[in-house]
């Protein structure tokens, strides 16, 4: 009988078993057994090493003696991507690019490889999801604009077998390689299905070994589960050097690229893209667009948000409408749902704005996600304006109001990072009235821009 090559190990207690069990025979926990590859059988040679007391010792080097020849980065030619990566791809590094289906992961990686190929870099696109013909169709779409001639000169390998892919990487030695996607690859030693925890871990681990040995910058494309986590084990996030998240709503054109982890750069950076038929286009004037589109009607306010180190003006809209439902709906788009609950509580307790049993919808226009406490004041002002049925009016009475600030539980406004940059961005785009914790210390004072009216939609909602 052939010797088994895998074993099932409980991730809770470490119990190992030849067969998979739904419940661990060791600790009785459910669904904790994960398939793992057994180490290679010991040969006579490595038994000798083990007998001699393990391997020869390594030689530590003083940090001051370590040579620091600057490693040239690979510039993908997509400014926003390079910036989020911390200045381009690092040779020999592993980048995980996650995003929900259809968001544009393949488009982004195709474009990046195309640009690298155009400047004479060796590239490889491994497609486990699409046939070579499908990849070509996309490349043709991306090439239809001038100056993107490289997309069609990228070699493609439509393959899902891990060993074949590793052998190809070793033979071709590209400078940059994209694996689309890590969940479709299959290591023959493991019997579990592609995309399972064991497979994804094995695939990523072995690709990393080859990437580091041959100095190949590898981008692993990964899918995101419904809950928004990168599918596959969290261990993948520990393994790779950089985790990028591509997000946005498929139906909308704006997409944001963020770094969740980066060993070679800041994780504060974010890039904004727009999906067009010719591919992804960097949006460098996002603030101008969002401000121009801001309605200035009841329930609308401009939030001076920070996307990493870059300020971004976005419109936040709220709708408060009477509801028959118990409990009423609290729906957010592009914001944290828990923050809405907190803001509504503070508004009721310290701002005198009660939404009662009305439905509350809050939306960041354009499909942008803002995940920072600085959005609190924008939610509060938008909801207050929607509840009272009045458009926000600042002291100058001219144009939409911009705001930022965190809401304290006692009704005070708290400072957030980079107030000066946010203020400058608002001024740059012609917003004269900016409400911030620096100018307005309490929520009650901030709410003066949404005065109560006599025709009281507030009561109708409550
Ligand atoms: N002709 C077109 N015009 C405009 N947009 C297009 C066109 N063709 C495709 N798209 C956009 O490209 C998106 C798909 O891009 P892409 O295949 O790169 O996504 P993906 O993240 O790789 O998806 P998957 O998870 O399925 O691999 C579509 O959702 C659509 O928004
Ligand atoms: Mg794809």
């Amino acid at each position: 009988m052939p010797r088994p090559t895998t074993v099932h190990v409980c991730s809770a207690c470490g119990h190992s078993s030849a067969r998979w069990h739904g419940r661990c025979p060791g600790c009785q926990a459910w669904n904790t057994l994960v398939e793992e590859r057994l180490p290679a059988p010991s040969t006579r040679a490595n038994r000798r090493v083990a007998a001699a007391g393990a391997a020869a010792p390594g030689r530590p080097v003083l940090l001051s003696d370590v040579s620091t020849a600057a490693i040239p980065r690979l510039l993908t030619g997509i400014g926003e991507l390079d910036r989020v990566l911390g200045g381009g791809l690092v040779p020999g590094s592993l980048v995980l690019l996650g995003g929900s289906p259809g968001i544009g992961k393949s488009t982004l990686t195709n474009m990046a490889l195309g640009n690298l190929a155009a400047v004479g870099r060796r590239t490889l696109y491994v497609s486990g999801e699409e046939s070579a013909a499908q990849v070509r169709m996309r490349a043709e779409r991306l090439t239809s604009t001038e100056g993107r001639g490289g997309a069609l000169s990228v070699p493609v390998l439509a393959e899902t077998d891990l060993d074949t892919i590793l052998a190809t990487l070793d033979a071709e030695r590209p400078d940059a390689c994209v694996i689309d996607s890590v969940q479709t690859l299959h290591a023959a030693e493991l019997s579990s299905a592609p995309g399972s925890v064991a497979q994804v871990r094995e695939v990523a681990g072995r690709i990393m070994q080859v990437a580091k040995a041959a100095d190949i910058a590898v981008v692993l494309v990964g899918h995101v589960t419904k809950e928004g986590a990168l599918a596959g084990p969290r261990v993948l996030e520990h393994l790779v050097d950089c985790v990028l998240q591509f997000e946005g709503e498929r139906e909308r054109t704006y997409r944001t690229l963020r770094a969740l982890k980066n060993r070679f750069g800041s994780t504060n950076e974010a890039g904004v893209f727009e999906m067009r038929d010719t591919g992804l286009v960097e949006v460098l004037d996002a603030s101008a667009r969002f401000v121009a589109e801001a309605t200035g009607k009841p329930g609308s306010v401009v939030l001076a948000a920070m996307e990493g180190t870059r300020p971004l003006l976005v419109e936040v809209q709220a709708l408060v409408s009477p509801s028959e439902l118990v409990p009423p709906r609290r729906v957010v788009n592009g914001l944290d749902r828990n923050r809405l609950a907190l803001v509504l509580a503070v508004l009721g307790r310290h701002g005198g704005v009660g939404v009662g049993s009305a439905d509350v919808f809050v939306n960041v226009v354009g499909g942008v996600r803002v995940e920072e406490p600085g959005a609190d004041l924008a939610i509060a002002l938008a909801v207050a304006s929607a509840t009272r049925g009045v458009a926000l009016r600042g002291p100058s009475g001219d144009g939409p109001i911009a705001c930022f600030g965190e809401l304290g539980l006692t009704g005070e406004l708290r400072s957030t990072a980079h107030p000066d940059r946010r203020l400058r961005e608002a001024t740059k785009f012609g917003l004269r009235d900016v409400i911030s914790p620096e100018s307005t210390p309490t929520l009650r004072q901030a709410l003066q821009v949404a005065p109560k009216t006599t025709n009281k939609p507030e009561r109708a909602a409550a």
Side-chain angles (χ1 to χ4, degrees):
M1 209 176 103
R3 189 179 175 278
T5 53
T6 64
V7 65
H8 294 86
V9 181
C10 173
S11 46
C13 72
H15 177 92
S16 72
S17 148
R19 277 197 314 127
W20 185 81
H21 299 273
R23 188 174 198 181
C24 170
C27 66
Q28 312 299 320
W30 285 98
N31 277 332
T32 50
L33 259 65
V34 176
E35 191 183 21
E36 281 185 359
R37 199 157 58 109
L38 279 172
S42 64
T43 59
R44 196 180 294 172
N46 61 26
R47 269 201 302 271
R48 259 204 312 273
V49 172
R59 187 176 302 165
V61 190
L62 274 184
L63 274 179
S64 56
D65 295 341
V66 175
S67 77
T68 52
I71 307 164
R73 296 203 181 209
L74 299 168
L75 291 178
T76 65
I78 306 173
E80 296 286 272
L81 174 61
D82 285 336
R83 196 164 52 83
V84 174
L85 282 169
L89 283 167
V90 174
S93 72
L94 214 60
V95 176
L96 178 64
L97 171 67
S100 45
I103 200 79
K105 303 178 293 295
S106 307
T107 310
L108 185 70
T109 47
N110 274 204
M111 286 171 60
L113 284 191
N115 291 348
L116 284 167
V119 295
R121 295 291 190 170
R122 291 171 61 83
T123 57
L124 178 66
Y125 185 84
V126 178
S127 175
E129 285 182 354
E130 295 163 305
S131 68
Q134 286 170 318
V135 178
R136 183 192 160 119
M137 271 165 55
R138 181 185 297 106
E140 275 173 359
R141 185 158 63 85
L142 303 179
T143 318
S144 57
T145 39
E146 269 180 61
R148 294 232 202 97
L152 282 171
S153 49
V154 175
V156 56
L157 174 72
E159 182 59 71
T160 55
D161 179 59
L162 179 64
D163 290 319
T164 313
I165 292 166
L166 293 180
T168 316
L169 275 181
D170 200 36
E172 297 285 322
R173 303 255 164 163
D175 295 313
C177 167
V178 170
I179 311 267
D180 190 1
S181 67
V182 65
Q183 278 110 343
T184 52
L185 265 48
H186 180 246
E189 303 84 10
L190 304 183
S191 59
S192 46
S196 63
V197 174
Q199 285 280 1
V200 170
R201 196 165 57 177
E202 175 75 10
V203 163
R206 286 179 57 198
I207 289 177
M208 187 180 70
Q209 283 170 9
V210 175
K212 301 266 179 222
D215 245 0
I216 307 169
V218 178
V219 179
L220 297 174
V221 174
H223 291 279
V224 161
T225 58
K226 257 196 209 137
E227 296 76 42
L230 283 170
R234 303 266 326 167
V235 74
L236 206 59
E237 295 187 18
H238 293 294
L239 193 81
V240 299
D241 299 302
C242 177
V243 181
L244 301 184
Q245 178 91 333
F246 204 25
E247 52 193 32
E249 286 167 46
R250 218 176 345 176
E251 318 74 58
R252 309 272 185 77
T253 55
Y254 293 111
R255 312 271 194 267
T256 331
L257 183 72
R258 280 171 214 282
L260 304 185
K261 158 182 172 175
N262 194 350
R263 287 189 181 145
F264 313 112
S266 153
T267 49
N268 285 330
E269 295 298 341
V272 183
F273 292 89
E274 186 180 351
M275 181 60 97
R276 302 227 186 114
D277 56 348
T278 50
L280 289 158
V281 182
E282 297 163 50
V283 180
L284 301 172
D285 59 345
S287 290
R289 291 193 197 190
F290 292 134
V291 170
E293 288 168 9
T295 63
K297 292 193 174 145
S300 157
V301 69
V302 173
L303 163 66
M306 291 301 292
E307 282 282 2
T309 52
R310 203 172 62 162
L312 177 69
L313 301 177
V314 287
E315 183 188 2
V316 175
Q317 293 186 343
L319 175 69
V320 178
S321 83
S323 172
E324 304 294 317
L325 291 177
V326 180
R329 277 174 289 199
R330 302 282 183 253
V331 182
V332 286
N333 246 326
L335 294 158
D336 183 356
R337 196 166 182 274
N338 294 330
R339 287 311 293 186
L340 173 64
L342 183 147
V343 171
L344 291 183
V346 177
L347 260 180
R349 184 72 181 77
H350 300 289
V353 181
V355 292
S357 57
D359 284 338
V360 180
F361 304 87
V362 184
N363 186 20
V364 182
V365 178
V368 181
R369 266 201 82 74
V370 185
E371 274 174 3
E372 57 152 343
D376 288 358
L377 182 58
I379 303 176
L381 290 183
V383 170
S385 159
T387 311
R388 293 179 169 171
V390 291
L392 299 177
R393 279 279 158 268
S396 81
D398 179 28
I401 282 194
C403 66
F404 59 89
E406 185 181 347
L407 225 55
L409 294 184
T410 53
E412 82 281 16
L413 295 186
R414 309 183 71 93
S415 290
T416 46
H418 308 298
D420 42 341
R421 284 193 209 171
R422 297 177 199 247
L423 203 59
R424 236 180 290 137
E425 184 80 352
T427 320
K428 188 167 133 196
F429 291 100
L431 301 177
R432 294 220 223 141
D433 297 315
V434 184
I435 318 258
S436 69
E438 284 70 27
S439 64
T440 320
T442 67
L443 174 65
R444 207 167 265 280
Q445 280 168 296
L447 285 172
Q448 285 170 2
V449 295
K452 281 188 192 169
T453 52
T454 42
N455 53 355
K456 302 215 183 325
E458 191 165 359
R459 209 160 279 165

